[in-house]
Amino acid sequence: MSGAETSVRPASTALPEPAPDPVVEVADLEVDFAVRGAIGHAVRGVSFQIRSGEAVGLVGESGSGKTVTALSLLRLLPDRTTRVRARSLRVAGVDVLGASAASLARLRGGAAGVVFQDPLRALTPTRRVGSQIVEVIERHSGRSRTQARLEAVELLSRVGIPDARNRARDYPHQFSGGQRQRILLATAVASHPRLLIADEPTTALDVTTQSQILDLLLDLQQDLKMAVLLISHDLGVIARVCDRVLVMYGGRLVETGSTSDVFRAPGHPYTAGLLRSIPRLDRPGAVTSAIPGEAVDGFTQVVGCAFVPRCSLAAPVCTECPELEDVTPGHQAACWRSELVT
Amino acid sequence: MTDSGRPILSVQDLVVYRGKGVHQGNSTVGKDALRVVEGVSFEAAAGETLGIVGESGCGKTTLVHAVLRLIPYQSGQVIFEDVDLGGVSERKLRSLRRDLQVVFQDPYSSLHPRKLIGKILSEPLELHTDLSAKARERAVISLLNDVGLGASFAQRFPRECSGGQRQRVAIARALALRPKLVILDEPVSALDVSIRAQIIELLAQLQRDRGLTYLFISHDLALMRSFCQRLAVMYLGRVVEYGPSDVILHRPSHPYTRSLLASMPIPDPEVERRRNRIEVRGEIPSIRTPPSGCTFHPRCNYAVDRCQVSEPMLEVSDAGVLSRCFFSSEVAAQPPLDDARSSDAPPEPVVEEHLFERS
């Protein structure tokens, strides 16, 4: 994809520096899954790159393939029921589809950390939180136990757990939801990963807590120069955190670009419709309007553009599937009629 | 405040305990019981939408359950259409509940998975009316049409429907007995973003057509600004701010409301970049160990010694709303979302002013 050639960092930080290798490189990702004998297509040809230090948002409805795409990056989908294919699937230099079990294990929780929505399920309930972080540090850095313990306490304190030295000895259930998400972030970054995948990390949290966790996520990203892939249904969260955004619909990427470009002048009718359907605090009285109809799932046979049944701009040409094309440099949309999108 | 109609629902000084030793029809509670709702008062006028906003643990769910009298309350009053629900018999309560319905957040757990939708919708009619089977069938079809589903859905099971369709069924069920008041408990939070606006449009349409009163519980302040006429902001079992939603969400008079507003991300990267943040310290304390004085003081940027020892009353602020804060006038006088003390960047008053200006 050519979108990655354009710098999307804010102007103030755009120093002339050699472009680092992309941390994530995905080309033509296809994910099929089997449920009760039927074959579904969760991801139908997705390509993108994420460079180090870049925060990329992944947006889409349930069933759009966003979580499946993210899980594929680390081969976290069950092998028995899913089939992942790609022309290229590289994360932190590892060829994910060709990698041995051992190098996949090193990648997961090593060069790539993961944070999920529900920290209570992601943390081991019967182990002290400190030792869960120590384990990550030992495994991926080869530090001594003593050194790793010191680092774990430092890290807990870094993510905002007060009295970290004592609290490291507590179990996950002894923390509040917000604190557990902080601890999970600490576990995810303990190996100094090059990529952090965060799947709806704040969806289960209250708004004031969400705000704190997003600030922490941004701080950690800056400190560690990580690439971040943030999956969220909340366009406000994406606007706040991400430099660039990928919009998925029906298993395909339908729009990509800098968050500023995509949110200000969307090139796909789905993105435009989403933005129009959300009431905004700063625009009281502005009229919102819903997108009619329902999203397709992976079992629906789609001919052409999957958004056609809900699209007010649909035309005969839309029976052919549009590819991503430049709307402006670095901003692409998969729509035959993107110049008509308002 | 809107005086468009007489209050259809009036809640006065409601106190609700939960936990051990709390029993229906018994006003005494055990010593381990928790005071979850602490003297809450509000009114909903006929035909309007009253919003209740607050984070987890603020007591809004307990409040709803008490208003529906699904759980007992220990003191105060819930007056629905001039009848005090606290004093009525179970029998009378049953008939009152026809007028008082509820739609829950999760349409996946609120509908019986093994019942046809036609059955789900005709059940309340069987229980509460003497309509003939034919008449019930006609009523079900008309309900399905009213919520935008169509007659064919009567022959489907909930599992054959999407989340949005299920929520339409839940709304149809709530409307089956032609209620006057509907409690909407986070009715769109579990739905996809593109479906939320559809359901909100449907709810607004039904309210216009049927003159419904809504009690709308949500944490989405942007949605509440457009959907609710009046708002009650709750924190740790208390109402901390109460008044017209467009005033409260433009010029809040309580520091907690301000922090909620500042925490809501706005789907516009340019606006997000320019916004000044108010840091909200810490987390919501447990209701088991509520802080002394004003319960918000440990997290509050305005707190002084006095706030640790005495609890402020709900009083009219300079913005004309009720606020439970000694500094409500100072808070209301702040430019919208501009708090220089906690911002490391110099405030940009021009930008911040326009941020919350009415267009």
Side-chain angles (χ1 to χ4, degrees):
Chain A
M1 199 188 302
S2 61
E5 286 161 22
T6 319
S7 169
V8 291
R9 305 300 302 178
S12 55
T13 60
L15 298 166
E17 56 179 38
D21 278 346
V23 179
V24 176
E25 198 179 354
V26 180
D28 291 332
L29 176 70
E30 306 259 349
V31 184
D32 299 337
F33 59 97
V35 179
R36 285 185 228 104
I39 300 286
H41 309 286
V43 180
R44 316 178 196 226
V46 160
S47 305
F48 63 91
Q49 297 186 339
I50 306 175
R51 299 192 300 167
S52 53
E54 194 181 28
V56 174
L58 188 51
V59 177
E61 339 225 329
S62 36
S64 65
K66 57 187 198 299
T67 295
V68 171
T69 298
L71 295 178
S72 303
L73 296 183
L74 300 181
R75 289 257 307 266
L76 288 170
L77 295 162
D79 280 339
R80 266 213 237 146
T81 51
T82 49
R83 184 173 55 179
V84 180
R85 288 166 299 165
R87 195 154 49 76
S88 165
L89 185 56
R90 299 182 73 83
V91 175
V94 177
D95 172 12
V96 173
L97 293 181
S100 66
S103 70
L104 271 181
R106 272 197 303 275
L107 180 63
R108 299 170 183 153
V114 190
V115 180
F116 293 109
Q117 178 173 341
D118 183 358
L120 201 51
R121 261 195 276 174
L123 294 165
T124 310
T126 53
R127 289 187 56 196
R128 301 177 196 278
V129 298
S131 88
Q132 300 193 42
I133 300 174
V134 166
E135 185 196 313
V136 177
I137 296 171
E138 278 185 323
R139 180 162 6 118
H140 294 284
S141 73
R143 299 252 203 292
S144 71
R145 172 68 52 95
T146 322
Q147 185 63 30
R149 276 196 185 136
L150 282 172
E151 262 183 51
V153 169
E154 220 169 87
L155 201 50
L156 278 174
S157 151
R158 168 73 190 81
V159 298
I161 302 294
D163 190 20
R165 205 215 277 254
N166 288 314
R167 303 265 7 225
R169 303 181 55 78
D170 284 343
Y171 294 93
H173 74 268
Q174 291 169 294
F175 294 86
S176 70
Q179 284 177 325
R180 282 198 288 261
Q181 201 54 283
R182 289 173 189 275
I183 293 165
L184 193 58
L185 267 169
T187 327
V189 303
S191 60
H192 295 269
R194 293 185 62 198
L195 170 70
L196 180 69
I197 298 175
D199 189 357
E200 303 273 7
T202 59
T203 304
L205 304 175
D206 282 315
V207 282
T208 53
T209 314
Q210 161 170 290
S211 191
Q212 295 167 351
I213 297 291
L214 293 179
D215 282 343
L216 174 62
L217 181 66
L218 282 166
D219 285 353
L220 290 171
Q221 189 212 1
Q222 296 247 309
D223 288 1
L224 301 169
K225 310 271 182 285
M226 291 182 296
V228 171
L229 180 62
L230 175 69
I231 301 163
S232 179
H233 68 277
D234 187 332
L235 294 177
V237 169
I238 300 280
R240 177 151 163 206
V241 174
C242 299
D243 310 305
R244 212 148 56 80
V245 62
L246 309 168
V247 184
M248 285 190 76
Y249 192 83
R252 290 180 199 279
L253 222 46
V254 295
E255 183 155 9
T256 114
S258 73
T259 37
S260 310
D261 286 350
V262 172
F263 281 64
R264 273 292 146 103
H268 196 282
Y270 170 63
T271 319
L274 269 188
L275 288 166
R276 260 201 307 274
S277 73
I278 317 170
R280 280 174 57 160
L281 266 179
D282 59 330
R283 289 191 188 160
V287 178
T288 57
S289 57
I291 303 177
E294 305 248 349
V296 291
D297 65 19
F299 292 104
T300 315
Q301 202 64 45
V302 180
V303 179
C305 173
F307 191 60
V308 164
R310 309 176 74 184
C311 185
S312 60
L313 296 175
V317 64
C318 303
T319 51
E320 211 173 305
C321 191
E323 296 292 316
L324 281 173
E325 299 215 28
D326 277 7
V327 179
T328 53
H331 176 194
Q332 302 177 306
C335 177
W336 296 114
R337 318 195 78 201
S338 61
E339 73 278 6
L340 300 177
V341 175
T342 47
Chain B
M1 254 169 240
T2 43
D3 289 315
S4 50
R6 66 188 177 85
I8 184 168
L9 176 73
S10 166
V11 171
Q12 299 299 333
D13 289 322
L14 194 69
V15 175
V16 189
Y17 286 81
R18 296 207 98 157
K20 267 191 206 153
V22 180
H23 302 291
Q24 189 83 39
N26 187 350
S27 58
T28 59
V29 296
K31 66 174 167 45
D32 292 334
L34 294 171
R35 223 169 142 101
V36 177
V37 172
E38 177 70 64
V40 163
S41 304
F42 59 81
E43 282 179 355
E48 82 167 356
T49 301
L50 171 77
I52 298 179
V53 65
E55 300 180 277
S56 41
C58 75
K60 56 191 195 290
T61 303
T62 299
L63 176 68
V64 165
H65 288 175
V67 167
L68 289 166
R69 249 195 70 182
L70 298 172
I71 57 168
Y73 49 87
Q74 278 62 47
S75 69
Q77 287 180 311
V78 177
I79 298 165
F80 178 66
E81 292 217 295
D82 304 325
V83 179
D84 185 347
L85 294 189
V88 303
S89 64
E90 274 301 314
R91 202 185 160 81
K92 173 85 170 133
L93 196 62
R94 260 174 69 98
S95 74
L96 279 170
R97 283 207 180 114
R98 296 177 51 166
D99 289 333
L100 223 162
Q101 292 288 323
V102 62
V103 176
F104 293 105
Q105 173 174 353
D106 184 4
Y108 290 85
S109 61
S110 66
L111 301 174
H112 197 295
R114 282 185 227 285
K115 280 183 188 165
L116 284 171
I117 287 167
K119 176 71 179 162
I120 290 172
L121 296 183
S122 77
E123 256 173 5
L125 300 169
E126 285 166 37
L127 286 168
H128 287 278
T129 71
D130 41 22
L131 291 178
S132 68
K134 258 266 148 333
R136 288 200 301 267
E137 203 174 303
R138 276 198 303 274
V140 166
I141 287 169
S142 133
L143 276 169
L144 283 169
N145 285 328
D146 286 354
V147 297
L149 286 177
S152 67
F153 274 80
Q155 298 306 317
R156 293 195 199 176
F157 288 102
R159 65 175 143 80
E160 298 172 290
C161 300
S162 68
Q165 289 165 342
R166 286 178 209 224
Q167 201 58 308
R168 286 173 193 267
V169 173
I171 292 167
R173 179 178 58 184
L175 297 181
L177 296 168
R178 309 206 148 268
K180 293 174 177 142
L181 180 94
V182 181
I183 297 176
L184 304 168
D185 190 356
E186 301 265 13
V188 298
S189 305
L191 304 177
D192 267 321
V193 177
S194 82
I195 304 300
R196 288 181 187 178
Q198 292 179 6
I199 299 297
I200 290 298
E201 280 176 14
L202 172 68
L203 288 168
Q205 179 70 42
L206 291 166
Q207 183 172 42
R208 281 194 298 273
D209 293 351
R210 298 171 175 236
L212 293 167
T213 308
Y214 287 149
L215 199 57
F216 184 70
I217 293 155
S218 176
H219 60 269
D220 186 340
L221 295 173
L223 177 57
M224 294 184 116
R225 184 155 187 184
S226 58
F227 196 67
C228 305
Q229 284 80 52
R230 244 189 289 190
L231 201 63
V233 182
M234 287 186 72
Y235 188 78
L236 276 189
R238 292 164 179 79
V239 171
V240 296
E241 188 161 3
Y242 177 66
S245 62
D246 54 355
V247 178
I248 289 181
L249 297 179
H250 173 59
R251 218 183 134 191
S253 298
H254 195 282
Y256 177 60
T257 317
R258 267 187 76 78
S259 5
L260 280 180
L261 278 168
S263 300
M264 286 288 295
I266 291 174
D268 185 329
E270 310 293 326
V271 172
E272 277 295 319
R273 217 161 287 159
R274 288 195 305 252
R275 260 175 117 186
N276 286 318
R277 305 235 167 268
I278 306 172
E279 195 202 345
V280 195
R281 288 193 302 266
E283 302 192 28
I284 302 167
S286 163
I287 193 93
R288 283 169 201 283
T289 52
S292 61
C294 169
T295 53
F296 188 60
H297 86 257
R299 309 178 69 193
C300 183
N301 290 325
Y302 292 81
V304 296
D305 291 350
R306 180 188 179 193
C307 306
Q308 297 175 28
V309 287
S310 50
E311 191 188 352
M313 296 286 108
L314 265 181
E315 281 173 322
V316 181
S317 78
D318 283 0
V321 302
L322 291 172
S323 166
R324 197 183 280 279
C325 177
F326 296 125
F327 299 101
S328 63
S329 298
E330 282 90 332
V331 179
Q334 288 285 324
L337 276 201
D338 178 22
D339 189 341
R341 283 181 302 174
S342 62
S343 168
D344 42 18
E348 301 172 52
V350 181
V351 172
E352 297 303 325
E353 272 304 336
H354 111 268
L355 223 175
F356 271 65
E357 276 311 318
R358 316 208 57 186
S359 50

